[in-house]
Amino acid sequence: MNMQKLSRSLLSLLFSGLVLLPLAPAQAVTFKAKGSPQKTAGGATRGVCQHLGTSSPQPILTALIPTTEKELTVADYPTVLVKISEPGTQKAELTLWDGEGNGIYQTIVDLTATPGITSFKIPKAAGALAVGQQYKWNLALICDPAERQRDIVLEGRLERVELSSTLNHLLETSSPLEKAKLYAQNGLWYDTVATLADLKRSLPQNSQIGAEWHELLQSVGLTELSQVPVVDCCQQPKN
């Protein structure tokens, strides 16, 4: 009887201990930047279109980039995300510059009338980005083709880094959401936001994806953009 009581007491203590152990929360898509904050989130803009932005306090163009020293990618042809709040123009110009200020690619993009967050993928015609090199990209809304100084211009920077063999192996066996989390944990901004934006665009009603999208943007100071729809607003070159 005493042995039975002892056994029951031990089992009760064991199970009580197991119940009290905290469950590890699932890792969210929270961006962990490399480097130190040096600039304002959202990129830098200049220029003005007289027929745009007069009724809205929000900027016409906002880049989805964090307040970090530099934004990294492992993609040879990365994707840039931009919020266009009032796409009243018909065309935009996407330009890529190398670290020495040389223009290496430029194209005109046809816009639709749908406001929201859209993706601009650097095409193969630009040539693969070199590992360890820094680049600058510009997106200009063309207000008047005859007076290009009136363009609203948004710019950002990026640097391609080497993908480690360990991370590459993990990515090969991961779902898109798991890939976004891995990219975020390793400070790879452009890959993180592009991967999660694809999920948000394809599954706009998915509450988990919506929560992860909000968490990601909140972690880099862009919470106000988390409710902006992710759209296909542009016809880009196929090459």
Side-chain angles (χ1 to χ4, degrees):
M1 180 64 69
N2 290 338
M3 289 298 295
Q4 288 179 345
K5 288 183 178 179
L6 179 60
S7 298
R8 289 174 182 174
S9 297
L10 289 174
L11 287 173
S12 177
L13 180 61
L14 176 60
F15 282 113
S16 296
L18 289 174
V19 171
L20 292 175
L21 287 176
L23 296 175
Q27 180 67 45
V29 186
T30 303
F31 186 67
K32 297 181 179 179
K34 296 182 179 180
S36 57
Q38 284 197 347
K39 58 176 176 55
T40 301
T45 57
R46 64 180 184 273
V48 61
C49 290
Q50 292 181 356
H51 63 291
L52 290 177
T54 57
S55 61
S56 174
Q58 299 298 321
I60 303 301
L61 290 180
T62 305
L64 273 72
I65 53 179
T67 57
T68 49
E69 180 181 0
K70 55 186 176 182
E71 289 75 57
L72 305 178
T73 181
V74 294
D76 44 3
Y77 303 99
T79 297
V80 172
L81 272 82
V82 174
K83 184 207 75 171
I84 305 178
S85 61
E86 297 181 38
T89 61
Q90 296 180 345
K91 295 182 181 294
E93 184 179 71
L94 179 66
T95 306
L96 185 66
W97 310 77
D98 64 18
E100 298 179 354
N102 301 309
I104 58 178
Y105 181 76
Q106 189 174 72
T107 188
I108 300 295
V109 179
D110 292 325
L111 303 177
T112 69
T114 305
I117 294 171
T118 190
S119 302
F120 294 88
K121 183 176 177 60
I122 304 298
K124 292 184 178 180
L129 270 59
V131 173
Q133 298 297 314
Q134 295 188 13
Y135 297 85
K136 183 178 76 171
W137 57 266
N138 284 357
L139 182 71
L141 286 185
I142 302 174
C143 305
D144 184 349
E147 296 185 38
R148 293 297 306 276
Q149 68 271 17
R150 294 176 54 206
D151 290 0
I152 298 180
V153 183
L154 180 71
E155 67 180 39
R157 298 182 181 276
L158 57 83
E159 178 181 342
R160 185 183 174 194
V161 295
E162 193 76 48
L163 181 63
S164 69
S165 57
T166 300
L167 181 56
N168 184 51
H169 176 72
L170 291 172
L171 291 170
E172 288 177 349
T173 58
S174 298
S175 68
L177 182 56
E178 290 170 339
K179 287 180 180 179
K181 294 177 181 180
L182 287 169
Y183 287 137
Q185 292 167 15
N186 287 274
L188 302 168
W189 172 254
Y190 285 100
D191 311 279
T192 303
V193 71
T195 301
L196 200 54
D198 284 343
L199 286 173
K200 187 74 166 62
R201 185 186 295 108
S202 60
L203 300 169
Q205 304 303 321
N206 186 293
S207 59
Q208 180 186 6
I209 299 301
E212 297 287 4
W213 180 249
H214 180 275
E215 172 64 28
L216 173 63
L217 296 186
Q218 185 180 52
S219 70
V220 296
L222 295 172
T223 308
E224 70 278 5
L225 300 184
S226 62
Q227 300 304 315
V228 178
V230 181
V231 300
D232 290 315
C233 82
C234 308
Q235 298 177 5
Q236 299 186 66
K238 295 181 179 180
N239 56 342

